[in-house]
Amino acid sequence: MSDLQEKKMLPSVVLETDRLRLRAFIEDDIDDVLATCSDPDLQKWIPIPAPDTPYTRKDAEEWCREVSPGMRTRGEGQQWAMTEADTGRLVGAIGLLRVSWAAMNGELGYWSSPWARNRGYMTEAVVAVSRWALDQGFRRVEIKAATGNAPSRSIPERTGYTFEGVERSAMPGHGGTRYDLAVYSLLPSDPRP
């Protein structure tokens, strides 16, 4: 059995790309997390903290202080704050979620801050985390995105993931809506992103 499977917890790491530093969330991120997660464009596709529930400062505080770090320590996955390497400002989040240790599978989830969209940051972060996950021994990494969310779907399409199909009515949204999710996957045998 591998060391990762015995521990059932991912190592705490900082990942760096040409323009980004992916690190743990900190207290200084709370204001930017609040501004991002309460943004109507993000809320349209990711109804956090829950459908028909407004995102509050308390939610941002809990995310930075408890939820994000707790995911790693409980063995559920890992969250990274995406920050600009030169300024340190938060530009988004990316996480390896829903880790199945027995199967060595995980799912990437992400969101971008309004001030950082359409700059290629998420593509850069997905490549970095995907490579890292495969290097950690993961056998399958998935990305799921609402079928109508073209910007989110373009990320796996640009980074070498394979489109597998659609999970119908898989995610609840605000106002009683439900979204179909496009499912993409990356395997160790696939070309690296």
Side-chain angles (χ1 to χ4, degrees):
M1 189 175 272
S2 79
D3 191 41
L4 273 178
Q5 289 170 319
E6 289 171 17
K7 289 183 183 177
K8 297 199 188 242
M9 182 170 58
L10 293 166
S12 178
V13 296
V14 173
L15 301 176
E16 295 185 354
T17 69
D18 290 341
R19 300 180 299 155
L20 298 173
R21 186 167 194 259
L22 281 60
R23 55 150 173 85
F25 281 88
I26 59 174
E27 193 88 10
D28 289 347
D29 296 327
I30 291 171
D31 289 337
D32 282 341
V33 168
L34 175 60
T36 298
C37 291
S38 57
D39 174 63
D41 288 336
L42 184 136
Q43 281 288 322
K44 177 180 178 180
W45 300 111
I46 308 173
I48 51 178
D52 302 317
T53 304
Y55 197 87
T56 66
R57 181 169 189 80
K58 182 178 182 219
D59 294 318
E61 290 169 355
E62 287 176 354
W63 173 259
C64 292
R65 294 176 183 152
E66 300 163 27
V67 176
S68 175
M71 289 180 71
R72 190 184 74 76
T73 58
R74 288 187 306 270
E76 298 167 0
Q78 173 112 355
Q79 286 288 335
W80 288 272
M82 295 168 41
T83 61
E84 288 179 319
D86 56 348
T87 68
R89 184 161 191 205
L90 183 79
V91 295
I94 187 166
L96 183 61
L97 321 164
R98 296 177 188 87
V99 169
S100 168
W101 291 103
M104 287 303 287
N105 295 342
E107 179 183 333
L108 288 189
Y110 45 79
W111 46 256
S112 292
S113 300
W115 51 88
R117 293 180 186 145
N118 302 311
R119 297 179 65 186
Y121 286 151
M122 193 56 69
T123 299
E124 204 170 308
V126 165
V127 167
V129 175
S130 298
R131 287 179 178 167
W132 180 83
L134 294 175
D135 289 345
Q136 299 304 304
F138 279 84
R139 307 302 300 159
R140 176 183 172 85
V141 181
E142 293 181 343
I143 293 176
K144 297 180 181 181
T147 55
N149 188 349
S152 188
R153 289 188 66 181
S154 72
I155 304 297
E157 292 168 357
R158 280 198 302 266
T159 55
Y161 279 70
T162 298
F163 175 70
E164 293 185 336
V166 174
E167 291 181 352
R168 297 181 310 147
S169 191
M171 187 176 81
H174 294 299
T177 61
R178 295 200 55 94
Y179 294 109
D180 294 344
L181 295 178
V183 180
Y184 299 85
S185 68
L186 182 69
L187 307 177
S189 58
D190 294 336
R192 288 288 175 112

